[in-house]
Amino acid sequence: AQTVTQSQPEMSVQEAETVTLSCTYDTSENNYYLFWYKQPPSRQMILVIRQEAYKQQNATENRFSVNFQKAAKSFSLKISDSQLGDTAMYFCAFTDGGSNYKLTFGKGTLLTVNP
Amino acid sequence: NAGVTQTPKFQVLKTGQSMTLQCAQDMNHEYMSWYRQDPGMGLRLIHYSVGAGITDQGEVPNGYNVSRSTTEDFPLRLLSAAPSQTSVYFCASSVSFSDQPQHFGDGTRLSIL
């Protein structure tokens, strides 16, 4: 069974600074997909970024980027120029190539951006 | 498009009562799923469906039933509510391609007294 581990239950960062959230996963699959979801206090689940395992290039979406290390099974999220609106729970999630309907989530990291 | 719509947003039940959480999507997605979110546990898959008439169990299916009579709707039934089912429930849908993300509803906060 796949597992996703987020080792940082809580983190904080000053506004405009950079922060990195960690995620490791365990799978025997070679083809899979990784996601970071953001859950603000409104409770919505918002997709931040996604990475296909077969792509070596790290995904980037504006201020959000990932460091995908396939051999190490690591998938960290870097947030640059942190903004107050980035305050949220962040979940790392995994799905293998054949079961997009079954996401396995980590337990989440609560990120607080301080003014 | 409304996306994924969950009703109700909040519900309080007494132990032993039954109820159905509704989920509807208007994106013609084949895949639909139900997750529960508990503090410190992330989201865990309850049941999922790969199309009308097809459902299967996820990680934590006990105490819940589902059916999928149409592409649009995927209700989750609690037959006899227990305090352990107090949680926030999310419905999600996606197309059949693995690289496409799931679309989540806004969640239902359910309290069982």
Side-chain angles (χ1 to χ4, degrees), chain B residues 53-90:
Chain B
I54 306 170
T55 63
D56 206 345
Q57 297 180 349
E59 181 184 356
V60 287
N62 292 341
Y64 307 95
N65 281 348
V66 292
S67 61
R68 184 98 180 268
S69 57
T70 67
T71 299
E72 295 78 19
D73 300 299
F74 190 44
L76 178 72
R77 297 183 184 86
L78 285 71
L79 297 180
S80 179
S84 62
Q85 294 176 305
T86 293
S87 188
V88 179
Y89 292 84
F90 286 94

Side-chain angles (χ1 to χ4, degrees), chain B residues 30-42:
Chain B
E30 293 181 31
Y31 295 166
M32 296 187 74
S33 311
W34 276 102
Y35 296 85
R36 62 177 288 173
Q37 182 179 23
D38 301 299
M41 297 294 293

Side-chain angles (χ1 to χ4, degrees), chain A residues 33 35 37 39 42-45 47 50 52 91 95-103 105-107, chain B residues 9 31 33 35 37 40 42-43 45 48 50 90 94-95 97-102 104 106-107 109:
Chain A
Y33 301 85
F35 305 88
Y37 280 89
Q39 187 179 42
S42 67
R43 208 172 65 195
Q44 284 183 302
M45 292 292 290
L47 178 68
R50 67 181 182 221
E52 295 90 339
F91 292 97
T95 186
D96 68 38
S99 57
N100 185 37
Y101 41 86
K102 293 194 292 183
L103 283 170
F105 285 86
K107 294 183 178 182
Chain B
K9 294 190 182 304
Y31 295 166
S33 311
Y35 296 85
Q37 182 179 23
L43 279 76
L45 183 65
Y48 62 92
V50 300
F90 286 94
S94 61
V95 297
F97 308 113
S98 295
D99 66 338
Q100 296 304 307
Q102 296 205 19
F104 284 84
D106 290 340
R109 182 175 293 277

